[in-house]
Amino acid sequence: MFLNKPEPQYVPGTRVRVVQFVRVGHRRWKTEVTGTVEGEGLRPVGGMEMGGKALYCHQPTLRLRRDDGEITNIALDENTRVETLDTPAPASATASGPAPQSV
């Protein structure tokens, strides 16, 4: 009955833009956050009156570091649009050995 953690969709260090729409009365507000992925997670949903909420009911989240240094956790749903802006270089490409020395 324990939830298996899903495979991550975004590599830490990936730059993304998250676009969500929030309904406020009869209007729809667009929210947009751009930042670097620090990690992904799951948060429990529901109140304690539902009983055992940490066992089965979770919502995926994305942890971002914005350009100004602020860290934010974004709850993702089926209407959230996540656009990948830049993917980090693989560690093997950046650390391929010592840099050549000039003579």
Side-chain angles (χ1 to χ4, degrees):
M1 175 109 175
F2 291 104
L3 183 68
N4 292 332
K5 196 168 185 178
E7 291 293 322
Q9 294 181 354
Y10 304 98
V11 177
T14 303
R15 191 155 168 72
V16 296
R17 176 181 299 125
V18 180
V19 178
Q20 293 179 317
F21 290 94
V22 180
R23 196 182 95 207
V24 180
H26 64 281
R27 290 179 266 169
R28 194 170 90 151
W29 292 351
K30 177 182 177 181
T31 64
E32 186 174 310
V33 178
T34 303
T36 305
V37 174
E38 288 200 340
E40 296 178 59
L42 296 172
R43 70 174 191 168
V45 177
M48 288 307 295
E49 63 275 1
M50 294 175 68
K53 70 176 183 175
L55 295 179
Y56 64 92
C57 192
H58 289 82
Q59 182 175 28
T61 61
L62 191 60
R63 181 180 170 110
L64 298 179
R65 181 177 296 271
R66 294 175 29 161
D67 295 336
D68 62 1
E70 177 184 349
I71 296 176
T72 184
N73 282 313
I74 300 171
L76 305 176
D77 62 13
E78 62 276 358
N79 297 318
T80 302
R81 191 174 75 222
V82 181
E83 305 167 5
T84 302
L85 303 176
D86 185 26
T87 55
S92 61
T94 57
S96 59
Q101 297 179 358
S102 60
V103 177

